[in-house]
């Protein structure tokens, strides 16, 4: 078996072929579709190719997989930590990848399947559009600020705000500039609506996402972002590893006889999914249930921001339990979840039902059922609070003599 290392760049890759303990061959490969396919055809069926995770890794993996025994993706952060060298060139980097893999010391990462990659593309595109919308709104505010226009008391980009903007006293050039910003904002909002519709269809067709949406605070956008980031839940053997993957675990430093020092969260891993989980935590903090009780307990001691991050980690643990153990969410509100799903179906293009036949989300609009469900989760929140108080009432353990 040969180990073939590829140091990948934007338009080319440096290739090193490791065989019988030495680097037998090293050359440069242009990263074009036909060239990569031709390179794959020249490889042996028992070869193993290794490359670091980067922007065009997925395309290279897809093209080379049919020709070799295995294509391995390496974690670039850990490779740098293991193979730090004073001499750093493309040839050296490619050879180090091949040597580490041949020796069994290469830190690998999971290669996502095509469906997961497609979902990740959609999520990334939505994040980029939301960021562009935020910039367009900031430019509108900048125009108003530059012309001494007072702040509008209300939703500036809603119907009333748009009517107010149309009457704002602005010079012609500034008004034309404002109009271009608003046109761009309208175009971005239309694009966002189309992306949301596509993501909603994904979430309705995937049983994992439907299960996650039964948790308070998790919307279709959050569910799709989290599932796209996770991919196969079986690659995480514990909830702690999933939380670490999201970068929600604290840094730990320990040396010698000194105790461990825990710092801020690592923030390594998928930043989009981590942000979504924090948003879910803020939403869950406003809804009765065990998650809100947990949030309030941490907030009393360390403040709201720390409580939100801690609740996000708690939600990550809950997600692992729901997906890995295939258990339903115990504190789900069936009528509310049914109404939530029906609204998503309508946004995805489902036809409205007319007549006397009750729809799937009808129970939520029955006051008695809605209040009964709210009472259930409120009791769960109170039970959690009582359990925490029981912890606090326990006397401290005696120190060993």
């Amino acid at each position: 078996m040969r180990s073939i290392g590829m140091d990948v760049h934007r338009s080319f890759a440096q290739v090193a072929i490791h065989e019988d303990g030495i680097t037998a061959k090293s050359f440069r490969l242009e990263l074009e579709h036909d060239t990569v396919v031709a390179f794959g055809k020249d490889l042996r069926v028992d070869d193993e190719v290794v490359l670091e995770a980067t922007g065009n890794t997925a395309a290279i993996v897809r093209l080379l997989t049919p020709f070799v025994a295995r294509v391995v993706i390496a974690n670039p952060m850990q490779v740098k930590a293991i193979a730090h060298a004073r001499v750093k060139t493309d040839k050296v980097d490619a050879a180090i990848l091949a040597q580490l893999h041949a020796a069994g010391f290469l830190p690998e990462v999971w290669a996502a399947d095509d469906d997961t990659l497609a979902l990740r593309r959609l999520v990334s595109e939505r994040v980029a559009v939301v960021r562009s919308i935020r910039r367009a709104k900031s430019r509108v505010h900048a125009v108003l600020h530059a012309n001494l226009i007072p702040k509008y008391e209300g939703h500036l980009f809603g119907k009333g705000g748009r009517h107010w903007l149309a009457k704002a006293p602005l010079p012609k050039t500034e008004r034309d500039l404002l109009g271009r910003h608003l046109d761009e904002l309208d175009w971005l909002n239309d694009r966002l609506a189309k992306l949301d519709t596509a993501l909603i269809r994904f979430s309705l067709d995937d049983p994992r996402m439907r299960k996650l949406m039964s948790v308070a605070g998790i919307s279709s956008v959050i569910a799709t972002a989290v599932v796209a980031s996770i991919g196969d839940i079986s690659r995480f053997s514990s909830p702690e590893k999933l939380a670490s993957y999201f970068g929600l675990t604290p840094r730990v430093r320990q040396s010698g006889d000194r105790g461990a020092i825990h710092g801020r969260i690592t923030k390594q891993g998928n930043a989009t999914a981590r942000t979504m989980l924090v948003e879910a935590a803020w939403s869950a903090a406003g809804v009765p249930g065990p998650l809100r009780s947990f949030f309030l307990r941490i907030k009393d001691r360390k403040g709201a921001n720390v409580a939100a991050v801690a609740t996000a980690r708690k939600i990550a643990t809950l997600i692992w339990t729901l997906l890995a153990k295939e258990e339903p969410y115990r504190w789900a509100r069936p009528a509310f979840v049914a109404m939530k799903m029906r609204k998503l179906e309508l946004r995805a293009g489902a036809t409205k039902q007319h007549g006397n036949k009750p729809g799937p989300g009808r129970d939520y609009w029955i006051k008695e059922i809605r209040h009964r469900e709210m009472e259930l989760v409120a009791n769960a929140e109170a039970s959690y609070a009582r359990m925490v108080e029981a912890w606090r009432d326990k006397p401290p353990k005696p120190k060993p003599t």
Side-chain angles (χ1 to χ4, degrees), residues 18-339:
H18 188 79
E19 186 176 14
D20 297 330
I22 61 171
T23 301
K25 190 177 181 182
S26 181
F27 58 92
R28 175 169 166 156
L29 176 70
E30 297 298 324
L31 291 182
E32 297 178 357
H33 182 277
D34 295 340
T35 307
V36 175
V37 171
F39 168 66
K41 291 179 179 178
D42 291 337
L43 299 176
R44 302 173 186 172
V45 292
D46 62 340
D47 286 342
E48 293 193 0
V49 179
V50 54
L51 65 162
E52 290 182 334
T54 185
N56 48 5
T57 296
I60 299 173
V61 171
R62 185 175 64 252
L63 294 177
L64 294 183
T65 297
F67 305 107
V68 295
R70 190 173 173 223
V71 180
V72 179
I73 304 176
N75 186 328
M77 299 296 294
Q78 295 184 17
V79 169
K80 289 179 182 178
I82 295 172
H84 178 73
R86 292 182 180 273
V87 178
K88 187 183 185 306
T89 64
D90 294 341
K91 291 184 179 181
V92 171
D93 289 347
I96 286 176
L97 284 174
Q99 293 166 11
L100 287 175
H101 180 61
F105 289 120
L106 190 76
E108 300 181 22
V109 297
W110 178 69
D113 56 81
D114 291 341
D115 291 339
T116 302
L117 287 174
L119 187 57
R120 286 179 176 179
R121 292 282 188 186
L122 274 177
V123 172
S124 298
E125 185 180 359
R126 187 187 185 279
V127 170
V129 170
V130 170
R131 192 179 297 119
S132 298
I133 289 175
R134 193 178 299 120
R135 283 197 293 264
K137 289 182 177 181
S138 296
R139 287 193 287 267
V140 170
H141 284 291
V143 171
L144 299 178
H145 175 72
N147 290 274
L148 305 180
I149 305 298
K151 181 179 178 181
Y152 176 71
E153 297 297 334
H155 181 33
L156 181 61
F157 302 99
K159 185 175 180 180
R162 289 297 187 95
H163 185 69
W164 180 83
L165 284 173
K167 295 183 177 181
L170 293 170
K172 184 179 184 305
T173 55
E174 296 292 299
R175 178 161 297 285
D176 292 342
L177 176 62
L178 180 64
R180 289 192 292 272
H181 291 332
L182 293 176
D183 290 342
E184 179 187 6
L185 184 60
D186 291 337
W187 180 80
L188 289 170
N189 283 327
D190 290 340
R191 186 178 172 189
L192 179 62
K194 293 177 181 178
L195 286 172
D196 282 343
T197 300
L199 290 173
I200 287 171
R201 288 171 179 164
F202 265 104
S203 64
L204 292 174
D205 293 338
D206 194 315
R208 297 171 299 171
M209 300 182 196
R210 295 182 73 98
K211 182 181 289 186
L212 294 187
M213 285 189 289
S214 66
V215 179
I218 298 184
S219 64
S220 61
V221 173
I222 295 174
T224 49
V226 170
V227 170
S229 177
I230 293 174
D232 185 4
I233 191 63
S234 64
R235 63 195 183 103
F236 301 101
S237 59
S238 67
E240 291 78 16
K241 290 188 177 181
L242 179 59
S244 178
Y245 174 73
F246 288 136
L248 291 170
T249 53
R251 301 176 187 271
V252 181
R253 301 190 183 277
Q254 190 275 331
S255 179
D257 295 331
R258 296 183 178 181
I261 299 175
H262 295 79
R264 297 178 180 272
I265 59 173
T266 62
K267 291 189 178 180
Q268 292 184 351
N270 193 306
T272 299
R274 181 171 59 253
T275 301
M276 293 293 182
L277 287 174
V278 174
E279 289 185 8
W282 283 111
S283 297
V287 180
L291 288 174
R292 183 170 76 169
S293 184
F294 176 82
F295 175 89
L296 295 175
R297 178 170 70 88
I298 304 298
K299 178 184 175 183
D300 291 341
R301 295 190 294 115
K302 296 188 176 182
N305 291 333
V306 174
V309 174
T311 307
R313 179 176 176 178
K314 181 69 71 174
I315 293 175
T317 302
L318 176 60
I319 287 172
W320 183 89
T321 303
L322 295 177
L323 298 183
K325 296 188 175 182
E326 298 183 353
E327 295 181 0
Y329 181 49
R330 180 177 300 177
W331 304 113
R333 296 156 54 195
F336 175 77
V337 173
M339 181 272 296

